Amino acid sequence: MALLDIHSDHYAAVRHLLSNYRFLSGMYSEMKNAPQKYIVGLNLLRGLIPMAESGIAEASALYIYKRRYGGKYLTWEKTGVDRESWPYYLRNYVLRHLLEFHFAHHDTPVLGGIDLVLDRVRLSEKQRANTLVYLNNKLPGLSAPFATPAITHLTDADSEYVGGLQLAHILAELLAKLANNSISEVELSEAQFFRVVEFIGLQKQVGERGHPPDDRSPPE
């Protein structure tokens, strides 16, 4: 799971990057469907570098190796959650830890709440509302609040219509290459601003400085 963080005052830089790239390349389809996706990804990564260097953009990601993962929801257990909902619970759990990891390393303090835009999955309105309640520390039984900013708005959108999600998708594909050691030297060189960590769950994180707080969540 990958995350791209842009301050709202500077989001015009994302529109500028995407519109310039589309105009110069003559490509107006969704980025992930581009015929030369490798080149598209590299060029957009290069466009994100000056944004990261100037503090406009930050990016983080978590990945899981199933054989080393010790957290919740990877496989079904008898905890009162039906099998069909298991992926939704895992997604919430990983999302929360990604937010904690990201904001633990955030370069500037976050004042006020944040808007969270998720790439669309099959969520019912009840699940979307529950995700917002969970991330905002409003579930009963929490021993301590999560180390995340307040989520002011939670939007579940299709990346075809949201430029920032298309950039996040490129980061997610890069993350997959990092996790299975198939990333090229060029991609690795261009992605130095991208903070990535293996998520092990109840155990400590490995592969990145600093760790999010220990797990302390009730069933989500």
Side-chain angles (χ1 to χ4, degrees):
M1 185 177 287
L3 178 155
L4 177 64
D5 174 8
I6 310 285
H7 194 283
S8 58
D9 289 347
H10 302 294
Y11 190 77
V14 170
R15 292 192 290 269
H16 185 73
L17 170 63
L18 291 173
S19 61
N20 275 357
Y21 185 80
R22 291 186 183 284
F23 176 76
L24 293 172
S25 65
M27 186 191 73
Y28 298 98
S29 63
E30 194 171 0
M31 302 295 183
K32 66 184 179 183
N33 298 324
Q36 295 182 323
K37 190 162 56 175
Y38 175 80
I39 301 300
V40 171
L42 272 182
N43 288 334
L44 290 174
L45 276 176
R46 289 165 179 155
L48 285 173
I49 290 173
M51 295 169 62
E53 290 176 342
S54 62
I56 291 175
E58 297 186 48
S60 300
L62 297 183
Y63 66 93
I64 287 173
Y65 281 131
K66 291 182 180 179
R67 65 182 180 275
R68 291 206 293 257
Y69 178 67
K72 301 178 181 180
Y73 309 125
L74 188 61
T75 55
W76 182 81
E77 299 171 8
K78 293 182 179 180
T79 57
V81 179
D82 62 90
R83 291 176 186 266
E84 288 73 22
S85 298
W86 213 246
Y88 162 69
Y89 281 73
L90 176 63
R91 185 176 191 244
N92 274 5
Y93 183 67
V94 173
L95 174 59
R96 188 259 291 183
H97 280 282
L98 172 56
L99 290 169
E100 288 194 315
F101 169 69
H102 177 77
F103 287 104
H105 297 87
H106 205 264
D107 290 338
T108 56
V110 178
L111 303 176
I114 64 171
D115 287 2
L116 182 62
V117 183
L118 303 179
D119 204 352
R120 181 175 292 167
V121 294
R122 293 181 179 178
L123 288 183
S124 65
E125 181 54 33
K126 181 179 178 180
Q127 287 176 327
R128 195 201 68 82
N130 179 69
T131 298
L132 185 59
V133 167
Y134 167 57
L135 294 177
N136 278 327
N137 299 283
K138 293 182 178 179
L139 284 180
L142 289 178
S143 59
F146 304 141
T148 58
I151 311 297
T152 306
H153 299 286
L154 174 62
T155 303
D156 188 32
D158 191 318
S159 59
E160 183 175 359
Y161 312 120
V162 182
L165 283 178
Q166 295 189 38
L167 292 175
H169 184 88
I170 287 171
L171 293 173
E173 292 194 333
L174 191 68
L175 171 66
K177 294 180 181 180
L178 277 165
N180 64 28
N181 295 314
S182 64
I183 189 169
S184 70
E185 291 185 8
V186 175
E187 288 173 311
L188 191 60
S189 174
E190 302 292 353
Q192 293 301 304
F193 66 93
F194 193 25
R195 293 187 294 253
V196 176
V197 66
E198 179 185 357
F199 181 50
I200 301 182
L202 298 178
Q203 307 168 58
K204 289 184 177 180
Q205 317 284 344
V206 297
E208 174 60 65
R209 64 190 186 283
H211 307 300
D214 293 336
D215 177 74
R216 54 189 179 281
S217 66
E220 289 93 52

